[in-house]
Amino acid sequence: MLECGLGGKGQPIEFFPALSFSLETCTTVGYSLPNSDNNGFFTSDCYAVQLAVYLQMTWSMIFNAFFTAFIFARLARSEQRSAQVLFSNKAIIENRNGKWLFHVRVYDVDSQKPIVEMHMRMYCASWLNYQNQDQEQPHLLHSMRIFDPNDELNAWIFTGVPMNASHHIDAYSPLTPPHRKKDLNIMNSYGLVLREVDQLGGSNSAHPCPVCGETYETSENLKTHIRFNKIMEEAAGNVPVVGTHRDPDLVKPRLFHKLELTKEDIIEHLMDKEIICVAEGIEPMLSGTFQCLHSYRLEDIVFDCKFTPCVTNENGKIFVELDKFHSYQKIEQYPSPVVVDDEYQSFGERL
């Protein structure tokens, strides 16, 4: 029998000495082998013991790595951070200068550790259309573009103070009844989710001229284009009417129709709808990404209201009154804009 310094002479190692040997291997506290006047199992004849020590230490390192990662993963769960992000109990739909806007309010209660890169998304779930639609691929969720904060800039929000997220119910919005879009002179989006506010800002043209094919940002610009070309064609004298900007079969009044919605239209259209708001960010302490979700049905939406101010400034310190966070107040009537036909007045801005 080989002497590897593990047991007594002529006796194999027993259970508890073997357990002690294993613990010494795992904890790397060093060896004090019994009955060993030499290097013990480090000699060339102790292959089995050397292999056992190698496997034991390899297993120990793998187990420690897994156990440590498991504990850290449990401690680093960021989903619970979402419980500290508040959404307003009610969403608001208001008519501002002829444009319908949808608002929600968001706030992070733990504002001393602000969420990193928080951004918003909105979706409209149409349950009735999902079950009855005839299109090839069913779609339950329809994206809602956000203009404040601008979703073209990733809709970043700072939730350290209560902040509103707003969606414009325009001709491309899933909150607009389809029958109200039929007579509008706008280009087909071909599946893209567009925004009317981009047209007002000059970055997107959606109103085509049926005569020359030019597209314009607003119906007012299209009307100006047709009016100018009519004058030019009449001044030329030798331009026929057919096929020009004076052709009544091409230039029809419907070209300049604007989207007209009523409160009743929106209410009827929202009967089967659910609006889902998603706020996503990074927890600053553990760098874990998490999401906060809140949904609104028709009974959770109020019309022609505004959120009650809930932030105060006292002696240079900002306080958030949480008892007012969910409250809202009725808007009696917005002052009429000076130029009612100017589409740039839609969002309360005067250029």
Side-chain angles (χ1 to χ4, degrees):
M1 182 175 180
L2 296 176
E3 284 291 339
C4 297
L6 296 180
K9 290 185 179 182
Q11 297 178 352
I13 188 171
E14 297 180 357
F15 174 76
F16 287 106
L19 178 61
S20 300
F21 172 71
S22 176
L23 292 176
E24 286 183 331
T25 302
C26 289
T27 57
T28 65
V29 295
Y31 294 100
S32 177
L33 298 177
N35 305 319
S36 177
D37 297 330
N38 52 23
N39 289 331
F41 61 84
F42 292 101
T43 61
S44 59
D45 295 329
C46 297
Y47 302 111
V49 179
Q50 294 169 2
L51 178 61
V53 173
Y54 176 80
L55 295 177
Q56 171 72 21
M57 298 189 69
T58 303
W59 165 253
S60 175
M61 288 186 292
I62 295 175
F63 179 80
N64 288 341
F66 172 79
F67 187 74
T68 303
F70 176 78
I71 294 298
F72 181 79
R74 296 294 296 177
L75 295 176
R77 294 176 63 188
S78 302
E79 291 85 355
Q80 297 181 354
R81 183 69 166 82
S82 62
Q84 297 175 301
V85 178
L86 300 180
F87 286 87
S88 55
N89 291 336
K90 298 290 186 180
I92 291 176
I93 294 181
E94 63 163 329
N95 188 335
R96 184 184 303 175
N97 297 332
K99 301 294 184 181
W100 290 94
L101 307 178
F102 174 87
H103 306 286
V104 297
R105 185 149 71 172
V106 189
Y107 173 58
D108 177 22
V109 176
D110 190 7
S111 56
Q112 292 184 347
K113 301 180 182 63
I115 301 171
V116 180
E117 295 185 353
M118 193 74 163
H119 55 279
M120 284 282 297
R121 298 194 301 273
M122 292 184 185
Y123 302 94
C124 176
S126 180
W127 299 103
L128 183 60
N129 291 345
Y130 180 74
Q131 297 172 356
N132 299 335
Q133 59 188 343
D134 297 328
Q135 59 185 358
E136 296 180 359
Q137 297 297 333
H139 293 282
L140 176 62
L141 296 181
H142 301 270
S143 298
M144 297 170 53
R145 299 293 302 271
I146 302 175
F147 75 89
D148 185 20
N150 191 355
D151 59 12
E152 288 193 344
L153 302 176
N154 296 320
W156 301 121
I157 58 176
F158 177 71
T159 53
V161 294
M163 188 171 180
N164 294 350
S166 303
H167 164 77
H168 177 206
I169 306 177
D170 55 15
Y172 308 100
S173 171
L175 305 186
T176 301
H179 70 275
R180 290 295 187 181
K181 306 177 184 180
K182 291 182 179 180
D183 294 333
L184 298 179
N185 178 39
I186 56 176
M187 297 189 67
N188 195 327
S189 63
Y190 294 100
L192 297 178
V193 185
L194 305 179
R195 299 185 305 180
E196 184 179 320
V197 68
D198 294 327
Q199 303 167 18
L200 301 178
S203 60
N204 183 22
S205 300
H207 297 269
C209 174
V211 179
C212 59
E214 283 286 337
T215 56
Y216 294 88
E217 291 81 3
T218 67
S219 60
E220 293 296 327
N221 290 350
L222 175 61
K223 185 184 297 185
T224 302
H225 160 76
I226 292 178
R227 186 187 303 118
F228 174 77
N229 279 274
K230 282 183 178 180
I231 296 174
M232 297 296 294
E233 292 166 0
E234 291 174 354
N238 57 351
V239 179
V241 174
V242 178
T244 65
H245 293 84
R246 294 175 293 163
D247 190 344
D249 294 330
L250 294 178
V251 182
K252 299 180 179 180
R254 61 170 294 272
L255 295 178
F256 314 111
H257 286 177
K258 301 178 182 179
L259 178 64
E260 295 181 358
L261 290 177
T262 63
K263 179 179 177 180
E264 290 71 23
D265 290 332
I266 298 176
I267 291 177
E268 182 180 359
H269 187 61
L270 292 180
M271 288 293 185
D272 69 307
K273 303 295 188 294
E274 183 173 1
I275 300 172
I276 303 172
C277 299
V278 182
E280 183 176 4
I282 301 174
E283 205 282 326
M285 299 299 293
L286 300 171
S287 299
T289 302
F290 68 96
Q291 291 183 340
C292 317
L293 289 86
H294 196 89
S295 66
Y296 299 91
R297 301 294 297 264
L298 179 58
E299 58 268 21
D300 303 317
I301 300 175
V302 294
F303 285 79
D304 298 324
C305 294
K306 66 177 181 179
F307 291 113
T308 302
C310 61
V311 180
T312 59
N313 188 339
E314 298 180 6
N315 299 324
K317 296 182 179 180
I318 295 178
F319 297 91
V320 177
E321 302 179 57
L322 291 179
D323 56 338
K324 296 182 179 179
F325 176 79
H326 298 288
S327 61
Y328 54 89
Q329 55 195 36
K330 196 72 175 177
I331 298 176
E332 297 300 332
Q333 186 177 3
Y334 277 110
S336 300
V338 176
V339 185
V340 294
D341 291 333
D342 188 357
E343 295 188 47
Y344 292 93
Q345 301 286 340
S346 302
F347 299 91
E349 298 179 2
R350 298 183 179 179
L351 303 183

